[in-house]
Amino acid sequence: CMNLIGELQDAEKFIPLTMRRIARGVPVPIHAGRLPGGGWQPGSRMYLHARNLADAVLFLLLERGAPATYADGADRPDRWHIVGEREVFNDEMALMIGAFMGREAPDMEYVDFHGSRPGHDLRYALDGRKLAEAGWRPPFPLDESLRRTVEWTLEHPHWLQT
C-alpha cells in the first residue's frame, strides 16, 4: 500500500501540511513536472484511508486464510497491492481539502518535484486489480475518508501545530 491518509496522521504529511498552509493563507506547494511547452503536470497519488487498509488486510486474512505461495513453490508469500479507489492529482487533492475546510480554492505553488525532493516520483500508483478480482472493495469512499480526516483534524487543531 502507499499514500495512507487518516486521523492522527503525522503533521508533516500532505493532508495536514496542506490544511496548515490553507489555514495560514500560505501557498500550498504542489509537486509537479515541467511540461515541454511550458506549464506544469501535477503529480498524482492513489490515496488510501487507514480504515480501508485495515479492511483489506482483514479481507485477505478471512477470505484467503493462510498466505498463498507462488506457483513456482518459492518460499515467499503471495503479493497483494492495496490501493485507493482512484488516482488523484496533487492539486485536485489540495482543492478537495480546501473545500472540506470550508475555504475558497487555496493558492498553489507548483514546484519541480526533482528539485524539491530528489529521487521522488511524480506518480505513485499500484495495480489493485488482483485484490478487486478477489472481491474486495474499499468500504469508505475517498471523499468520505478525506472529509472525516479533515473534520477530525479541524476538531483537534493542536494536531497541526509543528
Side-chain angles (χ1 to χ4, degrees):
C1 71
M2 62 176 71
N3 303 305
L4 287 174
I5 67 170
E7 300 79 354
L8 299 166
Q9 186 171 30
D10 191 288
E12 71 156 15
K13 298 300 182 184
F14 186 70
I15 292 171
L17 173 74
T18 299
M19 291 181 68
R20 192 167 50 252
R21 289 172 104 38
I22 290 171
R24 294 177 181 164
V26 177
V28 177
I30 302 294
H31 290 127
R34 289 193 180 274
L35 295 171
W40 295 95
Q41 171 64 51
S44 63
R45 306 286 183 263
M46 294 184 77
Y47 294 94
L48 176 70
H49 195 282
R51 284 184 190 89
N52 287 345
L53 172 61
D55 187 83
V57 169
L58 286 173
F59 173 85
L60 288 171
L61 291 172
L62 296 174
E63 292 292 318
R64 310 266 320 163
T69 56
Y70 281 93
D72 65 7
D75 187 21
R76 62 183 190 267
D78 200 3
R79 303 294 197 272
W80 296 85
H81 293 169
I82 303 172
V83 302
E85 68 188 60
R86 70 179 192 269
E87 192 168 353
V88 179
F89 287 108
N90 297 336
D91 54 357
E92 178 187 357
M93 179 59 82
L95 292 171
M96 293 168 64
I97 293 167
F100 286 127
M101 290 177 71
R103 302 290 181 100
E104 293 184 22
D107 290 328
M108 293 183 266
E109 177 182 41
Y110 292 93
V111 294
D112 183 14
F113 73 102
H114 286 299
S116 63
R117 289 183 72 186
H120 191 63
D121 290 322
L122 187 59
R123 178 178 184 256
Y124 286 177
L126 294 172
D127 184 350
R129 284 181 290 186
K130 181 177 175 181
L131 187 55
E133 289 170 0
W136 183 76
R137 301 289 179 271
F140 298 99
L142 177 62
D143 290 347
E144 178 185 341
S145 296
L146 182 59
R147 179 189 56 76
R148 289 172 68 158
T149 300
V150 169
E151 287 177 356
W152 182 91
T153 306
L154 290 173
E155 292 169 3
H156 300 86
H158 65 280
W159 202 255
L160 294 177
Q161 305 303 318
T162 58

